[in-house]
Amino acid sequence: MSQSHSHRLAAQAAPPPDYSIQQAAPAASGVAYVRPLSALSHIRSAPRTSRYSLVDGSMAAAGTLPPRLGSGHRRVENILSQVRRGQLTGRGLIRGSQITEELLKERDKQAKWNSIPLLLHKLYEGSHPNSDFSPCQGILKEISPLLSMEAMAIVTDDKKSSPEFPFPNTYIFDLFGGVDLLVEILMRPSLFPQKKKQKISDELIKDCLSILYNTCICTEGVTKRLAERNDFVLFLFTLMTNKKTFLQTATLIEDILGVKKEMIQLEDIPNLGSLVSSFDQQQLANFCRILSVTISELDTGNDDKYTLLAKDAQQRKTQNPSRAEVNQATLLNIPGFIERLCKLATRKVSESTGTTTFLQELEEWYTWLDNALVLDALMRVAHEETEQSGTESSDESGLANPSSRTQLPQSMKIMHEIMYKVEVLYVLCVLLMGRQRNQVHKMIAEFKLIPGLNNLFDKLIWRKHSASTLVLHGHNQNCDCSPDISLKIQFLRLLQSFSDHHENKYLLLNSQELNELSAISLKANIPEVEAVLNTDRSLVCDGKKGLLTRLLQVMKKEPAESSFRFWQARAVESFLRGVTSYADQMFLLNRGLLEHILYCIVDSECKSRDVLQSYFDLLGELMKFNMDAFKRFNKYINTDEKFQIFLNQINSSLVDSNMLVRCIALSLDRFESQLDDVKVAEILSECRLLSYMTQGSIRMSFLFRLVNIIHVQTLTQENVSCLNTSLVVLMLARRKGRLPCYLQTIRDMECMEKYPGFILNNFHSLLRFWQQHYLNKDKDSTCLENSSCINFSYWKETVSVLLNPDRTSPCAIVSYIDEAYMDVDKEFLED
């Protein structure tokens, strides 16, 4: 899934007949017939439109009381109204057990409640403290099918409503106190002292959990109500120690945490370390789904949607680590946790849990949700596999079960493994981006995560689709929600996080490729990169190709319309980030990367803004200060027509291409300082791109547009690079003593555009924000140094010079703004 990608499958159900429905606000919940997949966004749940507008189980609160259905229904409506009113006010009737059994019997037939209030009355009477819970089992067996029927309608998108049930079963169940009663039954043995040790059977726990989950699916507000009960949420974790109830418990917990306003603290879970240690590999993978909700910074949203101004204001208010950061630290303190995740992520299909166990798990789902789709999917794939003559590979032959009844098709085994790996890779990726990044890096290197993923690359991660590949219900193989696509995206995000500004990135190569880097440095007569020399070769990829090379191969074969292009370019670009390395650049240039990027930008004339931005960023890192790269560029862009297409792509969105503009400006500045070198002089005179940028009017045009398209109130992580690129242009001008000339030109251009003072006032505000943002003691400035090869002290000094309040200073912005248009003292708005 993409960052638009949804963690769960949303289900929409049609309203029941004869109701005047006012749609409720979407609730974050959903259901799928197999384990749903993680998103690439820290957005882990998708909106679901509920059938009913309910507030704490009441349609009355939303102004949606059902109309009178005739005189015979007035008393029915009176009962419902009294219960609703009681729940809202806390006085009078609050639950169905307060109504006499006789009255419930009398009203049930005409109301068509399917005896749910009556059954709840019996359940309440039979579940008092110290009572024998055995009769409860039979009662829940009667209730469960009535509720699962409605849940299945959502799962299967079956929007047919039956006139036989004017009052929805799950709504009636909740209205008459069923949800609260089941919570009491589950928690009672742990809350109240018992005369004798009271134990609830596993089957009873399963029934309670499945009914609660089905009610959450169908009735708005139930999940949020349960989420507000911290005692119940923490109690649910204690049920996860029981393997027989693990699946139902985990799914309900995930649903509840998805709507919980305040993130739980993992350290509050009783005996968390021993709980995690008790999990088998399948349970640990499922537990990662829950962990993902507790370690992701959900409140901050995507970087491109939240302004830096707002983020900085929030950061100043909350100096302490966030709950997500505390939870990440808690996980890392669990002995063996990261090692087990690495083993899960890298195990082959033949090492996964046996066939029979997985079939039993599917049967658990089938029994729990009454979802025939699970069995149908299994049988369909089995039938397809039987018809095909293909045989299992030797890796999986150990899983073949002699009984044809329990033999799991190869495609199902692979899909099962893929869906678990998605969850594990997501958690590892989040931890790699957290405060303990270096600790996580050290551990996953030690446990050989990268070589393990390299060995899985062809057979599992980037395998070819087959006709029998299992996809989720209602989706196809090309859908962002399909397991295959989700795994690929999570894998690419992991590589990006792993490589970004970290010396461990060389673990993506094998020993021969590390030797190639050394040879490139030797031939160029430059020192070898220290991180290459320090790389532990026992931890690098094995085989004929490293992971980076494999990625480049699939990248060049990717179809033009593929959604993977963006993620692939980001992953490769992260390998180049940091201090510019000539050897790293040549390693990729020798594999035809530059030509591939130019083909995509120019010949295929890529239209996707996201993909174009990722290509421009990668191209900038690949070409920066590298004469060979500019030569290759000129050889490929060998006509005026091609060059014009390239320029059009750059100019169509300067926000997307500004990092490439920065790279060209920096490279030109360095080459101009080496004119005594014949090769440098030759490339400066021959290269279309460099010749284009030598024109002062072109540089000024870029600078003017860069400053004009951003404002303090609209700065995000996505477009702040435009501000830094404009600063790079001015720093290079300052080095040559041309800063006053540039400022005067901006003033002249303002007047030509009939906006005197507008651009310079805006730039003044942007630079004041730059100081607040980048001079923060917690802000890491090394990335600015690495990307520009300009010492950060010169960045700070240049900004101070530009912000000098002295109107007589030739390098101060205020000197070029007429007093009538001066507007440099206004405060920033922190919305």
Side-chain angles (χ1 to χ4, degrees):
M1 303 178 196
S2 56
Q3 279 197 337
S4 50
H5 35 53
S6 155
H7 177 47
R8 306 186 62 121
L9 302 179
Q12 293 188 344
D18 301 323
Y19 270 51
S20 173
I21 297 297
Q22 175 183 328
Q23 287 258 317
S29 185
V31 67
Y33 76 93
V34 287
R35 296 295 290 177
L37 299 174
S38 305
L40 303 175
S41 26
H42 339 319
I43 302 175
R44 304 291 293 179
S45 52
R48 181 186 78 247
T49 303
S50 172
R51 296 183 176 190
Y52 314 106
S53 288
L54 300 176
V55 178
D56 291 333
S58 172
M59 286 200 297
T64 57
L65 280 172
R68 294 188 181 276
L69 304 177
S71 58
H73 290 271
R74 285 176 182 162
R75 292 183 180 178
V76 172
E77 187 179 339
N78 287 337
I79 292 175
L80 294 180
S81 299
Q82 287 183 58
V83 176
R84 292 182 196 121
R85 192 180 305 112
Q87 290 176 344
L88 289 172
T89 64
R91 297 189 298 273
L93 288 179
I94 296 177
R95 58 169 55 183
S97 57
Q98 295 172 282
I99 304 172
T100 64
E101 196 170 339
E102 291 74 17
L103 184 58
L104 290 176
K105 284 181 181 179
E106 178 188 342
R107 299 290 178 256
D108 186 78
K109 186 174 291 186
Q110 66 187 64
K112 296 183 180 179
W113 288 336
N114 291 301
S115 301
I116 291 175
L118 193 60
L119 289 168
L120 285 175
H121 194 284
K122 292 180 180 179
L123 187 63
Y124 180 78
E125 294 297 329
S127 60
H128 288 302
N130 297 314
S131 63
D132 181 6
F133 281 107
S134 54
C136 298
Q137 187 81 48
I139 299 172
L140 291 180
K141 291 296 183 188
E142 290 186 62
I143 295 176
S144 184
L146 298 172
L147 308 189
S148 63
M149 175 181 60
E150 292 182 350
M152 285 311 98
I154 291 180
V155 173
T156 60
D157 292 327
D158 181 8
K159 298 179 175 63
K160 296 177 182 177
S161 53
S162 172
E164 296 180 23
F165 305 108
F167 294 101
N169 297 330
T170 47
Y171 170 68
I172 293 298
F173 176 80
D174 181 44
L175 183 65
F176 280 86
V179 170
D180 294 333
L181 180 55
L182 291 192
V183 171
E184 287 179 21
I185 290 174
L186 285 170
M187 296 187 67
R188 189 169 289 154
S190 64
L191 295 180
F192 298 101
Q194 308 293 326
K195 294 179 181 177
K196 58 181 180 179
K197 187 65 177 175
Q198 192 177 34
K199 180 174 174 56
I200 301 180
S201 70
D202 295 337
E203 287 302 313
L204 183 59
I205 293 174
K206 279 186 181 181
D207 286 340
C208 288
L209 292 171
S210 63
I211 290 173
L212 284 174
Y213 185 61
N214 286 335
T215 309
C216 288
I217 291 171
C218 300
T219 304
E220 188 73 36
V222 173
T223 315
K224 291 181 180 178
R225 259 191 6 250
L226 293 177
E228 291 169 0
R229 292 199 54 174
N230 286 326
D231 59 339
F232 179 62
V233 175
L234 293 176
F235 167 78
L236 283 176
F237 282 94
T238 67
L239 296 181
M240 297 184 80
T241 56
N242 187 339
K243 295 189 187 308
K244 293 181 179 179
T245 61
F246 175 89
L247 190 60
Q248 290 84 351
T249 308
T251 310
L252 182 58
I253 290 175
E254 183 191 1
D255 216 44
I256 289 173
L257 295 185
V259 301
K260 193 169 175 59
K261 290 181 179 178
E262 190 174 47
M263 188 179 290
I264 68 164
Q265 292 291 154
L266 291 178
E267 59 188 15
D268 293 339
I269 298 173
N271 305 313
L272 177 63
S274 58
L275 174 68
V276 173
S277 300
S278 71
F279 293 152
D280 60 29
Q281 292 293 71
Q282 286 192 25
Q283 290 174 324
L284 182 60
N286 275 305
F287 190 59
C288 284
R289 291 172 57 82
I290 294 170
L291 293 179
S292 63
V293 183
T294 67
I295 61 176
S296 304
E297 299 285 2
L298 299 177
D299 293 335
T300 58
N302 296 327
D303 286 337
D304 58 343
K305 291 183 180 178
Y306 287 77
T307 67
L308 293 180
L309 196 63
K311 285 184 176 182
D312 287 355
Q314 183 65 26
Q315 190 177 22
R316 287 194 296 271
K317 291 177 184 176
T318 56
Q319 296 296 327
N320 296 327
S322 67
R323 289 199 165 204
E325 291 170 333
V326 172
N327 285 341
Q328 291 172 23
T330 300
L331 286 180
L332 292 176
N333 288 331
I334 298 176
F337 176 72
I338 297 297
E339 181 177 9
R340 291 188 67 190
L341 290 192
C342 290
K343 287 181 178 178
L344 256 177
T346 58
R347 71 178 183 178
K348 296 180 180 179
V349 178
S350 59
E351 298 168 356
S352 60
T353 305
T355 302
T356 307
T357 305
F358 182 47
L359 280 175
Q360 288 173 351
E361 181 177 335
L362 287 174
E363 288 171 5
E364 293 263 339
W365 273 86
Y366 174 69
T367 304
W368 178 40
L369 289 175
D370 291 339
N371 189 351
L373 288 174
V374 173
L375 195 55
D376 288 346
L378 182 62
M379 292 302 101
R380 182 179 69 251
V381 177
H383 179 66
E384 291 170 355
E385 290 289 330
T386 303
E387 290 182 338
Q388 294 174 4
S389 57
T391 58
E392 293 182 349
S393 67
S394 58
D395 282 345
E396 284 80 27
S397 60
L399 271 182
N401 191 302
S403 169
S404 60
R405 290 184 179 182
T406 57
Q407 183 170 349
L408 190 64
Q410 175 65 12
S411 59
M412 182 67 87
K413 285 188 286 185
I414 291 176
M415 198 56 57
H416 172 229
E417 192 65 26
I418 283 176
M419 293 164 76
Y420 281 157
K421 284 183 176 6
V422 169
E423 310 300 341
V424 174
L425 292 182
Y426 180 84
V427 170
L428 287 172
C429 186
V430 173
L431 293 175
L432 269 175
M433 295 186 292
R435 288 196 177 194
Q436 289 83 18
R437 185 189 183 208
N438 288 332
Q439 181 186 351
V440 178
H441 248 289
K442 183 179 179 181
M443 287 192 283
I444 65 178
E446 177 186 347
F447 301 132
K448 298 189 175 182
L449 174 69
I450 298 302
L453 292 176
N454 187 45
N455 293 332
L456 290 174
F457 189 86
D458 291 329
K459 285 189 177 180
L460 192 68
I461 297 173
W462 226 272
R463 68 197 181 99
K464 293 181 180 179
H465 290 295
S466 65
S468 61
T469 298
L470 177 70
V471 296
L472 299 182
H473 175 61
H475 296 251
N476 59 59
Q477 292 174 352
N478 297 320
C479 172
D480 280 359
C481 298
S482 77
D484 271 308
I485 289 179
S486 189
L487 177 65
K488 289 177 173 64
I489 292 175
Q490 289 294 2
F491 166 77
L492 293 172
R493 292 184 69 202
L494 179 78
L495 291 193
Q496 178 184 352
S497 303
F498 182 83
S499 303
D500 193 19
H501 292 89
H502 203 284
E503 59 185 19
N504 271 356
K505 66 182 183 180
Y506 292 107
L507 298 181
L508 296 175
L509 311 182
N510 63 19
S511 292
Q512 292 79 12
E513 291 165 346
L514 287 173
N515 291 339
E516 182 181 340
L517 286 179
S518 299
I520 292 170
S521 298
L522 183 63
K523 183 179 179 180
N525 196 28
I526 58 176
E528 285 191 63
V529 176
E530 190 174 346
V532 174
L533 296 172
N534 294 336
T535 297
D536 185 344
R537 298 208 171 199
S538 68
L539 303 178
V540 302
C541 295
D542 48 17
K544 295 180 180 179
K545 299 168 188 169
L547 204 45
L548 182 63
T549 300
R550 290 182 189 272
L551 177 57
L552 289 174
Q553 288 179 327
V554 299
M555 184 177 180
K556 290 195 285 186
K557 295 176 183 177
E558 206 62 45
E561 69 282 359
S562 171
S563 60
F564 293 127
R565 284 183 166 205
F566 169 82
W567 298 104
Q568 290 166 338
R570 280 280 178 259
V572 177
E573 184 215 341
S574 68
F575 180 81
L576 290 171
R577 284 184 197 156
V579 177
T580 303
S581 165
Y582 174 80
D584 292 354
Q585 291 173 324
M586 292 307 300
F587 179 86
L588 297 176
L589 287 169
N590 291 341
R591 284 158 175 77
L593 180 59
L594 183 137
E595 289 79 7
H596 168 71
I597 297 172
L598 292 177
Y599 169 81
C600 295
I601 294 174
V602 176
D603 293 324
S604 70
E605 293 193 62
C606 176
K607 297 294 190 294
S608 167
R609 302 314 317 172
D610 287 339
V611 172
L612 270 177
Q613 180 184 344
S614 65
Y615 281 163
F616 282 132
D617 290 352
L618 176 54
L619 193 61
E621 291 292 342
L622 192 61
M623 296 178 66
K624 193 188 303 175
F625 308 130
N626 192 310
M627 283 191 301
D628 297 276
F630 280 94
K631 284 181 181 178
R632 286 174 181 249
F633 176 93
N634 213 44
K635 185 177 180 180
Y636 190 93
I637 307 295
N638 54 7
T639 66
D640 291 340
E641 182 184 5
K642 279 189 173 183
F643 187 59
Q644 192 55 51
I645 293 173
F646 184 76
L647 291 181
N648 290 343
Q649 290 282 48
I650 288 180
N651 288 312
S652 63
S653 178
L654 203 52
V655 172
D656 299 326
S657 61
N658 83 87
M659 293 295 288
L660 177 61
V661 172
R662 186 192 306 184
C663 144
I664 301 168
L666 286 165
S667 301
L668 178 62
D669 181 74
R670 176 173 292 189
F671 294 157
E672 287 178 338
S673 67
Q674 301 169 343
L675 286 176
D676 53 338
D677 188 322
V678 177
K679 291 182 179 179
V680 175
E682 182 182 343
I683 192 64
L684 277 174
S685 63
E686 292 181 356
C687 182
R688 282 182 171 85
L689 193 55
L690 291 172
S691 299
Y692 178 75
M693 191 60 79
T694 56
Q695 302 174 58
S697 60
I698 297 298
R699 289 199 299 273
M700 285 307 309
S701 174
F702 277 128
L703 178 61
F704 188 81
R705 289 165 58 201
L706 283 168
V707 177
N708 195 25
I709 59 180
I710 51 175
H711 310 279
V712 171
Q713 282 74 22
T714 59
L715 277 180
T716 67
Q717 202 64 47
E718 284 293 307
N719 60 27
V720 71
S721 58
C722 293
L723 173 57
N724 289 321
T725 297
S726 63
L727 258 177
V728 165
V729 173
L730 291 176
M731 283 190 292
L732 298 179
R734 182 179 171 224
R735 278 181 176 176
K736 297 177 180 180
R738 296 183 55 80
L739 188 53
C741 177
Y742 274 57
L743 295 175
Q744 181 61 48
T745 304
I746 293 178
R747 173 191 166 95
D748 295 342
M749 293 173 76
E750 277 183 334
C751 294
M752 288 175 60
E753 296 287 338
K754 298 183 180 179
Y755 291 117
F758 179 79
I759 302 299
L760 288 172
N761 272 306
N762 182 54
F763 192 46
H764 193 278
S765 296
L766 287 166
L767 292 180
R768 285 170 55 218
F769 171 80
W770 188 94
Q771 283 185 324
Q772 291 184 12
H773 183 72
Y774 283 102
L775 302 186
N776 185 311
K777 63 180 180 180
D778 295 327
K779 191 66 62 175
D780 186 5
S781 58
T782 55
C783 57
L784 289 180
E785 283 191 340
N786 292 337
S787 69
S788 62
C789 289
I790 298 174
N791 193 286
F792 189 64
S793 62
Y794 195 74
W795 284 78
K796 292 190 293 184
E797 188 180 302
T798 302
V799 173
S800 297
V801 167
L802 288 166
L803 292 179
N804 190 339
D806 183 2
R807 293 180 61 83
T808 63
S809 169
C811 294
I813 290 176
V814 293
S815 301
Y816 300 87
I817 307 175
D818 292 342
E819 286 198 40
Y821 302 113
M822 187 75 70
D823 186 22
V824 297
D825 296 322
K826 62 182 179 182
E827 292 301 317
F828 304 139
L829 298 175
E830 296 179 353
D831 328 311

